[in-house]
């Protein structure tokens, strides 16, 4: 009997109807949308949800566009002078009908204050200076956006060069470690011990002032912070499994540094670049303010603020436009950097 049962069991062939698919999707509860989106898409979503970061990005784009097209929006140039039209208050064609930006300004005298309008006194009925004119009769609107263009070029170029130098220095130092790391870090400490303002000032006194000189001066001093961040990230990642696997498969040191580790730290690097740009803007503005920046007739935000400061008590409107533009630029880059830090750091993601 047992032999017959065994033979019958051996001859039995299972059919498809003997099996039933278990519907356990509700038990697993996988979020298909979340699982399908990439890291960069997820970071973009987190960035967009941060209102202050979006506002900062919009302001940067707006100022960038005005820095490109702003100087060509009227017939004036950044260096053109007209001494017969100097120290004119802001005047805008459509807004003057509402009593604002009509070319009037309040002057302080020994007997009190009085309102004057240089356009009416000089018979300049068809002349409009949107931000006013300075002590040499130059259009402040054109000079403000020309100065913003120069400041942005200097800051962005210096930040990118500092990123390349500091990132490479920190990654190499952290990867090789040992004696190489010790020598490179002692060199960095010596460079960091010298006041940056002294280095920049001496360099600008030796070389001829100009945009390239300022970029070179900022390049020598602003890479240290980037280097430290890159080194710290390398020390954290160089013993990870993917690095050990690449080393086992015969990958070279520089291949591992720049092809394996670098893509994994691009988030902190981009964030640091965003934070370094306002620092470069402020440094350039300070140098221009003390007379070590862009030579005349070129202008930057710092040189415009310096010129407006000399007329602060008599014509305060001359310092307001470049001051507001520089403040908005620095604030916007800091907001964007803060938003990128939260968006690109998975540890700061809201669960």
């Amino acid at each position: 009997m047992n032999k017959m049962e065994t033979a019958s069991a051996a001859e039995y062939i299972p059919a498809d109807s003997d099996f039933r698919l278990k519907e356990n999707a509700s038990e697993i509860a996988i979020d298909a949308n979340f699982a399908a989106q990439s890291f960069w898409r997820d970071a973009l979503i987190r960035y967009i949800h941060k209102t202050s970061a979006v506002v900062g990005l919009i302001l940067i784009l707006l100022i960038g566009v005005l820095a490109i097209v702003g100087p060509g929006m009227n017939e004036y140039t950044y260096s053109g002078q007209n001494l017969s039209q100097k120290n004119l208050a802001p005047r805008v064609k459509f807004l003057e009908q509402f009593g604002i930006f009509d070319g009037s300004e309040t002057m302080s005298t020994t007997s009190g204050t009085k309102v004057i309008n240089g356009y009416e006194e000089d018979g300049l009925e068809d002349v409009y200076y949107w931000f006013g004119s300075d002590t040499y009769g130059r259009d402040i609107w054109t000079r403000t956006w020309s100065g913003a263009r120069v400041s942005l070029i200097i800051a962005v170029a210096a930040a990118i060069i500092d990123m390349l130098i500091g990132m490479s220095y920190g990654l190499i130092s952290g990867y090789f470690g040992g004696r190489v790391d010790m020598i490179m870090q002692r060199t960095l400490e010596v460079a960091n011990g010298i006041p940056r303002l002294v280095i920049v000032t001496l360099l600008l006194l030796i070389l001829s002032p100009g945009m390239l000189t300022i970029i070179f001066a900022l390049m020598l001093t602003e890479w240290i912070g980037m280097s430290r961040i890159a080194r710290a990230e390398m020390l954290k990642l160089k013993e990870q499994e993917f690095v050990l696997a690449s080393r086992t498969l015969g990958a070279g040191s520089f291949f591992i540094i720049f092809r394996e580790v670098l893509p994994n730290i691009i988030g902190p690097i981009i964030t640091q670049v965003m934070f370094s740009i306002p620092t470069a803007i402020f440094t350039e503005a300070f140098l221009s303010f003390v007379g070590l920046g862009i030579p005349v007739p070129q202008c930057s935000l710092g040189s415009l603020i310096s010129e407006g400061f000399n007329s602060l008590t008599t014509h305060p409107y001359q310092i307001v436009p470049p001051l507001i533009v520089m403040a908005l630029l620095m604030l916007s880059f800091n907001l964007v950097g803060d938003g990128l830090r939260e968006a690109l750091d998975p540890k700061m993601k809201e669960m």
Side-chain angles (χ1 to χ4, degrees):
M1 187 67 180
N2 292 335
K3 293 182 179 180
M4 294 179 62
E5 292 179 355
T6 303
S8 299
E11 295 176 358
Y12 176 73
I13 299 177
D16 293 340
S17 58
D18 295 335
F19 300 92
R20 181 173 60 88
L21 181 64
K22 182 179 180 182
E23 300 294 340
N24 59 348
S26 58
E27 300 176 8
I28 299 177
I30 296 178
D31 189 348
N33 292 329
F34 178 79
Q37 67 187 13
S38 64
F39 168 78
W40 292 106
R41 180 178 177 83
D42 189 37
L44 177 62
I45 293 174
R46 291 201 299 272
Y47 182 87
I48 294 176
H49 287 168
K50 190 171 180 61
T51 306
S52 60
V54 176
V55 172
L57 180 60
I58 293 174
L59 287 175
I60 291 174
L61 294 177
L62 179 61
I63 294 175
V65 171
L66 287 174
I68 296 173
V69 304
M73 294 178 65
N74 53 34
E75 68 273 15
Y76 305 109
T77 62
Y78 72 90
S79 59
Q81 300 182 12
N82 190 343
L83 296 179
S84 63
Q85 299 178 5
K86 64 180 182 179
N87 296 326
L88 295 177
R91 185 186 184 191
V92 182
K93 188 171 185 179
F94 299 102
L95 296 180
E96 64 179 346
Q97 302 174 2
F98 303 96
I100 56 175
F101 292 99
D102 57 354
S104 301
E105 62 175 324
T106 302
M107 300 289 294
S108 298
T109 62
T110 55
S111 58
T113 60
K114 66 175 182 178
V115 178
I116 64 172
N117 191 314
Y119 298 91
E120 295 179 356
E121 293 179 357
D122 298 335
L124 305 174
E125 300 296 335
D126 297 328
V127 176
Y128 294 91
Y129 287 99
W130 298 336
F131 283 170
S133 62
D134 62 8
T135 54
Y136 296 99
R138 296 173 297 192
D139 180 37
I140 298 179
W141 167 275
T142 304
R143 288 178 62 79
T144 296
W145 299 120
S146 297
R149 180 193 301 174
V150 172
S151 295
L152 279 173
I153 292 174
I154 292 175
V156 173
I160 293 176
I161 296 174
D162 291 336
M163 177 194 69
L164 297 176
I165 296 176
M167 179 184 64
S168 302
Y169 192 94
L171 289 175
I172 294 173
S173 176
Y175 178 81
F176 289 102
R179 185 181 298 274
V180 175
D181 184 50
M182 183 187 68
I183 295 175
M184 295 181 71
Q185 291 306 305
R186 298 298 81 77
T187 304
L188 184 143
E189 291 175 1
V190 171
N192 191 40
I194 304 175
R196 299 180 183 181
L197 184 59
V198 173
I199 298 176
V200 174
T201 303
L202 291 177
L203 185 61
L204 291 176
L205 290 176
I206 296 173
L207 302 176
S208 59
M211 185 183 302
L212 295 179
T213 304
I214 295 179
I215 293 176
F216 183 65
L218 293 175
M219 179 188 69
L220 293 178
T221 58
E222 299 296 330
W223 60 272
I224 296 176
M226 182 70 70
S227 171
R228 288 175 173 170
I229 292 177
R231 177 178 178 269
E233 294 293 330
M234 173 59 78
L235 292 175
K236 183 173 64 175
L237 295 177
K238 73 175 185 177
E239 298 299 333
Q240 295 291 325
E241 288 79 3
F242 69 94
V243 176
L244 297 176
S246 297
R247 190 181 296 117
T248 303
L249 293 174
S253 298
F254 287 95
F255 180 88
I256 295 175
I257 292 174
F258 296 104
R259 295 292 300 273
E260 298 290 345
V261 177
L262 179 58
N264 289 276
I265 66 171
I266 198 66
I269 295 297
I270 294 176
T271 302
Q272 180 63 22
V273 170
M274 289 296 105
F275 282 123
S276 64
I277 290 178
T279 302
I281 292 175
F282 177 79
T283 304
E284 182 278 325
F286 173 76
L287 294 173
S288 298
F289 184 82
V290 299
L292 297 174
I294 299 296
V296 293
Q298 291 182 329
C299 59
S300 67
L301 293 177
S303 62
L304 292 174
I305 293 173
S306 177
E307 294 173 2
F309 181 77
N310 297 328
S311 305
L312 181 61
T313 56
T314 55
H315 305 287
Y317 62 86
Q318 295 183 8
I319 198 177
V320 173
L323 195 63
I324 292 178
V325 171
M326 190 181 73
L328 288 177
L329 270 178
M330 296 182 65
L331 176 63
S332 299
F333 275 110
N334 278 294
L335 291 176
V336 171
D338 185 62
L340 287 174
R341 180 178 58 187
E342 295 186 10
L344 297 175
D345 188 358
K347 296 180 181 179
M348 302 185 69
K349 179 181 177 181
E350 297 180 2
M351 300 302 294

